[in-house]
Amino acid sequence: MAEHPRPDHFILHLSDTHLIAGDGDLYGDVDSEGRLRQIMAELEDSGARPEAIVVTGDLADKGEPGAYRKLRGLLEPVARRLGAQIIWAMGNHDDRGAFRQELFGQIPSDRPVDFVYDVNGLRVITIDTTVPGQHYGEITGAQLDWLAEELSTNAPDGTILAMHHPPVPSIKDLTVLVELRDQPALAEVLEGSDVRSIIAGHLHFSTNAMFAGIPVSVASATCYTADLNLPTNATRGQDGAQAYNLVHVYPDTIVNSVVPIGTFATVGEYVPPAVVAARLADAGIVIPAARPRHRAVPADELVVPTHDRDLSLTGPIGTL
């Protein structure tokens, strides 16, 4: 018998797509749309079937409405084919008004974009860490009060908190300027809650840490990444090492796996799925099945937050 069963949940975690509305390359240097299309094609070719696709901010580089429409046109067909929900979180490059209007069909507003999603019993909460006109992050007192109220009731399979600015130390000096501020206030709200993992972006490289006793997983960007092979005090973006994360949720742990963009030469033997199954059977190994999901997700169900932080919008938002 294997040490662990199949995961209860499987989520795809993307971040920092930085799409632009028009043609051309991002900053004249990188095809952010092309990199995202490549990642989606490679994902589908892999046969992966996530229940949800979570994108943790900086969806559009300049907050342009056309960039959000382009992103929907790129990701939603893939999500339909995979039978996955899409969960959007705000980033500092995003515009709250265009974000609400283009992704949720709501009236434009400068209110923080905070939502709650049900992914087959796994609760995903997106908290807006952005400060309009700034690149650093902050969570207001009203948002923290709302989050505390949401977390006062446990979800069947626990909660994942999705945000843009990660509550982790800055290993690059320049990122101190754009980090999440007043982190102890968030830690106080999360203490004793059912939050099992925090997923974030913003840094443009993959990293992991602990915050308030909760694992934090930061996904690298899909557009361009931060070069960590430099002196500590130096910073440089690079068109390479783009990646996304696979999030597998088990009864007693969550595993975050980094998948780099691109395909590479095979080393040693390629073992196809049928041969893998045969070898496990020959060894007498059985991997226990996952617990039954709490509900089936229709293939055309894409964006279904259960409710918004604004009480006037409480209730189903609907499918776009």
Side-chain angles (χ1 to χ4, degrees):
M1 186 71 68
E3 294 292 325
H4 299 278
R6 301 289 184 187
D8 289 335
H9 301 280
F10 169 38
I11 290 174
L12 180 69
H13 176 200
L14 307 174
S15 199
D16 295 86
T17 53
H18 283 264
L19 292 191
I20 55 178
D23 298 328
D25 292 341
L26 177 66
Y27 311 143
D29 292 320
V30 59
D31 181 2
S32 58
E33 178 183 352
R35 297 293 179 271
L36 183 57
R37 288 188 182 277
Q38 181 180 350
I39 285 174
M40 290 295 98
E42 292 175 0
L43 172 74
E44 286 200 86
D45 288 344
S46 75
R49 291 295 180 268
E51 298 163 71
I53 300 172
V54 183
V55 191
T56 51
D58 281 2
L59 280 58
D61 186 65
K62 300 180 180 68
E64 302 163 295
Y68 295 116
R69 292 193 292 270
K70 180 186 290 187
L71 182 61
R72 286 187 60 176
L74 196 160
L75 286 190
E76 288 188 355
V78 175
R80 287 191 184 96
R81 291 192 292 269
L82 299 178
Q85 298 184 55
I86 300 181
I87 297 175
W88 315 105
M90 273 282 298
N92 53 284
H93 279 258
D94 292 309
D95 176 84
R96 286 176 175 171
F99 192 97
R100 282 189 177 277
Q101 184 172 41
E102 300 299 333
L103 299 180
F104 297 95
Q106 296 181 349
I107 296 173
S109 166
D110 62 359
R111 293 179 294 105
V113 186
D114 304 321
F115 283 108
V116 180
Y117 296 79
D118 170 33
V119 182
N120 301 324
L122 175 69
R123 179 168 55 189
V124 178
I125 298 178
T126 61
I127 191 86
D128 185 348
T129 58
T130 68
V131 180
Q134 304 295 330
H135 290 295
Y136 65 84
E138 197 169 65
I139 304 175
T140 68
Q143 287 178 283
L144 291 172
D145 289 345
W146 169 81
L147 181 60
E149 178 64 24
E150 290 297 327
L151 295 176
S152 66
T153 302
N154 291 346
D157 292 342
T159 298
I160 291 179
L161 182 62
M163 57 203 296
H164 184 62
H165 297 80
V168 302
S170 299
I171 66 167
K172 286 290 186 179
D173 287 2
L174 196 59
T175 59
V176 171
L177 297 175
V178 297
E179 66 185 351
L180 180 68
R181 299 184 178 179
D182 195 16
Q183 295 180 21
L186 175 62
E188 184 176 353
V189 170
L190 298 183
E191 184 179 358
S193 74
D194 74 340
V195 174
R196 301 179 59 190
S197 174
I198 299 171
I199 60 175
H202 189 50
L203 301 181
H204 286 240
F205 61 86
S206 302
T207 194
N208 297 276
M210 296 290 291
F211 177 75
I214 301 168
V216 180
S217 175
V218 180
S220 182
T222 67
C223 59
Y224 71 90
T225 66
D227 184 0
L228 298 186
N229 193 27
L230 292 172
T232 301
N233 295 335
T235 297
R236 182 182 82 94
Q238 61 181 358
D239 183 8
Q242 293 92 340
Y244 59 93
N245 285 10
L246 307 179
V247 182
H248 291 90
V249 180
Y250 294 85
D252 56 359
T253 191
I254 296 180
V255 179
N256 297 273
S257 305
V258 179
V259 183
I261 192 172
T263 55
F264 308 95
T266 300
V267 176
E269 176 188 13
Y270 169 68
V271 185
V275 176
V276 171
R279 291 184 181 178
L280 290 177
D282 289 344
I285 299 296
V286 175
I287 302 176
R291 294 179 297 181
R293 292 181 179 177
H294 295 269
R295 69 181 182 92
V297 180
D300 61 350
E301 184 176 302
L302 293 176
V303 181
V304 189
T306 59
H307 57 279
D308 183 300
R309 187 176 65 87
D310 180 5
L311 294 180
S312 67
L313 292 175
T314 297
I317 302 298
T319 301
L320 297 180

